[in-house]
Amino acid sequence: MFQPITIKDIAKALGLSTSTVSRALTDRYEISAETKKLVLEYAEKIGYQPNPIAQSLKERRSHSIGVVVAEVANNYFSQAINGIESIAYNRGYHVIITQTHESFDREVVNVQHMASRGVDGLLISLSSETQNLSHIKYLHEKGLPMVFFDRVANEIETHKVIANNYQGAFDATEHLIKSGSRKIAHLTSSPNLSITAERFDGYRAALAQYNVPFNPAYLLHCEHGGMIQAEVELAVTQLLALADRPDAILIASDRLSAGCLSSLKMHGIKVPTDIAIAGFTNSDVADLFNPAMTTIRQPAFKIGQIATEMLISLIESKHPVTEFETRMLDAELVVRESSGAAL
Amino acid sequence: MFQPITIKDIAKALGLSTSTVSRALTDRYEISAETKKLVLEYAEKIGYQPNPIAQSLKERRSHSIGVVVAEVANNYFSQAINGIESIAYNRGYHVIITQTHESFDREVVNVQHMASRGVDGLLISLSSETQNLSHIKYLHEKGLPMVFFDRVANEIETHKVIANNYQGAFDATEHLIKSGSRKIAHLTSSPNLSITAERFDGYRAALAQYNVPFNPAYLLHCEHGGMIQAEVELAVTQLLALADRPDAILIASDRLSAGCLSSLKMHGIKVPTDIAIAGFTNSDVADLFNPAMTTIRQPAFKIGQIATEMLISLIESKHPVTEFETRMLDAELVVRESSGAAL
DNA sequence: TTGTAAGCGTTATCAT
DNA sequence: ATGATAACGCTTACAA
């Protein structure tokens, strides 16, 4: 019923064979200029559109790449997706986005679904629940090209693109210390995630460099990546109840940042007078409304772009690739000189 | 190189014909229980996955639906996408998301791309630039199932799902009036969008009902839907410069709300003491940080779900559908009893 | 330069 | 109940 015009129709109408028409259309073969012109003009006239499904079946590629992220409703990821799209679009690839909602099971299903659906490659940012990687390893061993970004799997050998989380956390912690804080808590995401470890290391290194002792009671994990407000609420309450109450918090993610600020407000704690805050976030809205918070901003768009370039090069490389690269981009520390009102 | 196991391999290994294997797999035909068991077990063992591309070619459908939104990095849309996904996933459909970034040209390209790529149907929310609908009309006439949501095209006859924007704007305006405002400005999006008109009508109706005269100088359009901060900045400045400066603003969108609040802050205008604010927004962050603003919240998730259900029913209906429905869902007015600090 | 035909992996229509 | 075969729309040896 829909899109009935095929190469056959053109061939019949023009008294040519389907192969000649195909050649005229694909341009790669010897063909007389006039036949080509004839075909192209007629195809244009009747609005011929090649059937990409048939093409895929033949070429054994779909010209689409699959993306696995936790949540589209997350500024980091939506910016990364924009970066991914900007490259994929220009290189003639479709982008299929799936969300895990931080669930391991969803991740498994999505990855398998896309693989069976014939994506040419995968851009993956792991869910916070993921510990077992066999679903991905399997596909990797089968030769499906993949690139990890942000939340990477160290045990899988392929290209990876990340922000310099270590440096970002280091800089932010250093800033807090230099601003007078010594009792710096760290509110962070699931220990499963690579970013969690990287950020923690940066935090520890900065503490060490300035001879600030690390207090294990100051380290709190929110398994759900800040999705569940109650979890953040509990963590904040716990921090505030400590005998040696922290005078600063380094927050490891976008959603955690928002949740934490909200909790503090409910507790009547003022930022930055009562407590100083530095956090990873790509939210422009948080940025807008809370100039009292120092933020570490990741180059999400750029990360998406680079990951996509890498993936396409893997897909299109003729020979099996054996050299893999981990690309690390600087995160930007945005310090606000207490210009705005306190929260 | 990837996914080499086909129905043929199974047939060869088991000494059966491909058709028998296919029948065993698809279940719809007469086949002996034992052969079926044999095939299914073997298929399971060697990890057979049907090739959906071949299936699509045969069935002439792709089991995928295309989504057109302005921006994924927008709370309304990302929530709607979650709703879309939740239904599509359960019904066995893939979701392919594309963004227009409020550009007409991108909309045309995306829609055509998805159509040629063989999506079974389209979920569309128009870009703010779109005035000409021929790219969509063409596909509609060809019989491609489509459902509009949020920003709908009135001249195309198909299912539509929207929030009750009229009522939302009415309620919010009424609230502002009852809270003591009489000079209520309306900062809104592109006049091309259906939502703009609907919200404006609600605003006007509330003014009329309470005998508040409408002042054309209070009506400001931001063509880019709040994407360009400078545009909002200009609008706010213009409002504040009026001899008869407004004492309230009804803001028509998510991004506009954030932008407007930011501008007001830069101007040193306090909310809600200097000026009262009510706005359409689905942002949880804005919600978090600005309890001084009354918000109209759209049931984005539900809208996505319903639109998807409608689309799938269109796709799967055996006979051409001639009865179309416009489903309208209530928007929720969230009034905050000035519990929090002023901005 | 162009036509013929095989093939991509399925499903469906025939026979058997 | 099962097997042979055509068909979906396209690309591409190979033949002419």
Side-chain angles (χ1 to χ4, degrees):
Chain A
M1 160 186 200
F2 184 64
Q3 188 198 305
I5 301 163
T6 77
I7 218 169
K8 259 187 205 164
D9 301 320
I10 300 180
K12 201 181 301 171
L14 263 41
L16 293 169
S17 75
T18 59
S19 39
T20 305
V21 175
S22 171
R23 278 186 276 246
L25 259 19
T26 54
D27 203 21
R28 266 198 302 275
Y29 289 82
E30 314 85 10
I31 195 170
S32 78
E34 39 204 334
T35 333
K36 186 162 142 190
K37 184 155 167 280
L38 188 71
V39 171
L40 288 178
E41 277 174 0
Y42 183 72
E44 165 80 1
K45 201 186 90 192
I46 65 171
Y48 166 77
Q49 295 276 74
N51 180 330
I53 297 178
Q55 283 174 319
S56 293
L57 182 59
K58 186 70 190 163
E59 295 175 28
R60 313 169 117 228
R61 33 190 310 218
S62 61
H63 283 279
S64 64
I65 64 187
V67 179
V68 185
V69 296
E71 216 57 63
V72 159
N74 172 309
N75 293 282
Y76 174 80
F77 288 122
S78 56
Q79 287 167 22
I81 287 169
N82 283 349
I84 290 167
E85 261 205 341
S86 72
I87 299 293
Y89 184 79
N90 286 327
R91 304 284 300 261
Y93 283 84
H94 254 292
V95 176
I96 298 178
I97 298 161
T98 61
Q99 310 184 69
T100 64
H101 302 285
E102 305 288 13
S103 145
F104 173 71
D105 291 341
R106 291 287 298 241
E107 182 177 287
V108 173
V109 172
N110 288 349
V111 162
Q112 282 172 353
H113 194 186
M114 294 202 287
S116 79
R117 193 72 222 169
V119 293
D120 296 337
L122 243 29
L123 289 172
I124 308 177
S125 192
L126 296 170
S127 96
S128 64
E129 258 183 39
T130 302
Q131 295 184 269
N132 179 344
L133 292 169
S134 54
H135 56 302
I136 295 174
K137 256 186 201 151
Y138 172 76
L139 295 169
H140 183 236
E141 279 160 16
K142 284 245 183 191
L144 182 66
M146 52 180 68
V147 172
F148 287 90
F149 69 102
D150 193 48
R151 303 143 161 227
V152 305
N154 288 318
E155 47 180 308
I156 294 182
E157 260 210 48
T158 185
H159 292 321
K160 287 153 197 165
V161 192
I162 55 177
N164 194 335
N165 289 299
Y166 175 91
Q167 194 66 44
F170 184 96
D171 292 347
T173 308
E174 182 179 50
H175 173 75
L176 290 171
I177 295 172
K178 286 188 171 169
S179 305
S181 300
R182 299 271 301 177
K183 297 184 284 186
I184 304 173
H186 184 32
L187 187 60
T188 189
S189 35
S190 165
N192 299 330
L193 298 175
S194 55
I195 50 174
T196 303
E198 293 158 15
R199 289 166 187 177
F200 176 65
D201 291 345
Y203 161 76
R204 290 278 328 237
L207 292 185
Q209 175 157 333
Y210 290 88
N211 296 312
V212 179
F214 167 64
N215 181 346
Y218 286 174
L219 178 66
L220 265 63
H221 291 274
C222 286
E223 302 285 331
H224 300 90
M227 292 290 297
I228 297 173
Q229 181 60 28
E231 203 183 356
V232 184
E233 186 58 39
L234 187 70
V236 170
T237 307
Q238 210 170 316
L239 280 181
L240 295 177
L242 288 175
D244 205 16
R245 183 194 274 199
D247 54 12
I249 312 181
L250 173 68
I251 312 173
S253 89
D254 207 292
R255 305 200 62 107
L256 241 29
S257 296
C260 180
L261 287 169
S262 156
S263 284
L264 288 174
K265 184 182 235 175
M266 285 181 53
H267 283 277
I269 309 289
K270 292 266 183 294
V271 178
T273 41
D274 296 341
I275 199 163
I277 298 289
F280 282 80
T281 177
N282 275 52
S283 164
D284 51 349
V285 187
D287 205 35
L288 222 51
F289 293 135
N290 189 36
M293 169 179 165
T294 295
T295 62
I296 305 106
R297 182 147 320 224
Q298 297 167 88
F301 187 86
K302 195 75 199 163
I303 288 176
Q305 287 192 311
I306 293 177
T308 310
E309 275 164 2
M310 285 175 158
L311 182 63
I312 293 177
S313 88
L314 282 182
I315 292 172
E316 297 183 348
S317 82
K318 299 275 181 284
H319 310 291
V321 181
T322 52
E323 293 280 312
F324 296 104
E325 184 188 355
T326 293
R327 195 68 162 275
M328 190 182 283
L329 279 76
D330 282 342
E332 185 195 1
L333 189 72
V334 183
V335 178
R336 298 189 190 73
E337 297 298 344
S338 63
S339 61
L343 187 67
Chain B
M1 166 183 196
F2 185 64
Q3 190 197 303
I5 301 163
T6 78
I7 218 168
K8 260 186 203 165
D9 302 319
I10 301 181
K12 201 180 300 171
L14 263 41
L16 294 168
S17 75
T18 60
S19 34
T20 305
V21 175
S22 172
R23 277 187 278 246
L25 259 19
T26 54
D27 204 21
R28 269 197 301 274
Y29 290 82
E30 314 86 10
I31 194 172
S32 79
E34 36 202 336
T35 335
K36 187 163 142 188
K37 186 156 165 281
L38 187 70
V39 170
L40 287 179
E41 277 174 0
Y42 183 72
E44 165 80 2
K45 201 186 89 190
I46 65 169
Y48 167 76
Q49 294 276 77
N51 181 329
I53 297 178
Q55 282 173 321
S56 293
L57 181 60
K58 189 73 190 155
E59 295 176 29
R60 316 173 112 225
R61 37 188 307 219
S62 62
H63 284 277
S64 64
I65 63 187
V67 178
V68 185
V69 296
E71 213 64 57
V72 160
N74 172 309
N75 294 282
Y76 174 82
F77 289 123
S78 56
Q79 287 166 23
I81 287 170
N82 283 349
I84 291 168
E85 262 206 341
S86 73
I87 299 294
Y89 184 79
N90 286 327
R91 304 283 302 260
Y93 284 83
H94 255 294
V95 176
I96 297 178
I97 299 161
T98 61
Q99 309 184 69
T100 63
H101 301 286
E102 304 289 12
S103 146
F104 172 72
D105 292 340
R106 291 285 299 236
E107 182 177 288
V108 173
V109 172
N110 287 349
V111 162
Q112 282 172 351
H113 193 186
M114 294 202 287
S116 79
R117 196 67 224 170
V119 293
D120 297 337
L122 244 27
L123 290 172
I124 307 177
S125 192
L126 296 170
S127 97
S128 64
E129 259 184 36
T130 303
Q131 294 184 270
N132 178 344
L133 292 168
S134 54
H135 56 301
I136 295 175
K137 256 186 201 150
Y138 171 78
L139 296 168
H140 183 235
E141 279 160 17
K142 284 245 183 190
L144 182 67
M146 52 181 67
V147 172
F148 287 91
F149 69 102
D150 192 48
R151 302 142 162 228
V152 306
N154 288 318
E155 46 179 309
I156 294 182
E157 261 210 47
T158 185
H159 293 321
K160 287 154 198 162
V161 192
I162 54 177
N164 195 334
N165 290 300
Y166 174 91
Q167 194 64 44
F170 183 96
D171 292 348
T173 309
E174 183 179 49
H175 173 74
L176 290 171
I177 295 171
K178 287 189 171 170
S179 304
S181 301
R182 300 271 301 176
K183 298 184 281 187
I184 305 172
H186 185 31
L187 186 60
T188 190
S189 35
S190 164
N192 299 330
L193 298 175
S194 56
I195 50 174
T196 304
E198 293 159 16
R199 290 167 186 176
F200 177 66
D201 291 345
Y203 161 76
R204 291 277 330 234
L207 293 184
Q209 176 157 332
Y210 290 88
N211 296 312
V212 178
F214 167 64
N215 181 347
Y218 286 174
L219 178 66
L220 265 65
H221 291 275
C222 286
E223 302 285 330
H224 299 90
M227 291 290 296
I228 297 172
Q229 180 61 27
E231 202 183 356
V232 184
E233 186 58 39
L234 186 71
V236 170
T237 307
Q238 207 171 315
L239 280 181
L240 294 177
L242 288 175
D244 206 16
R245 184 194 273 201
D247 54 12
I249 311 181
L250 173 68
I251 311 173
S253 87
D254 207 292
R255 303 200 64 104
L256 242 29
S257 296
C260 179
L261 288 169
S262 156
S263 285
L264 288 174
K265 183 182 236 173
M266 283 182 51
H267 283 276
I269 309 289
K270 292 264 184 296
V271 178
T273 41
D274 296 342
I275 199 163
I277 298 289
F280 283 81
T281 176
N282 275 52
S283 164
D284 52 349
V285 187
D287 205 34
L288 222 52
F289 294 135
N290 189 37
M293 168 179 167
T294 294
T295 63
I296 306 108
R297 181 144 322 221
Q298 297 168 86
F301 186 87
K302 194 79 197 160
I303 288 176
Q305 287 192 312
I306 294 177
T308 310
E309 275 164 2
M310 285 176 158
L311 182 64
I312 293 177
S313 89
L314 282 183
I315 291 172
E316 296 183 349
S317 82
K318 299 275 182 287
H319 311 292
V321 181
T322 53
E323 293 280 312
F324 295 104
E325 185 186 355
T326 294
R327 196 64 164 278
M328 191 182 281
L329 279 76
D330 284 340
E332 186 195 359
L333 190 72
V334 183
V335 178
R336 298 190 189 73
E337 297 299 344
S338 63
S339 61
L343 186 66

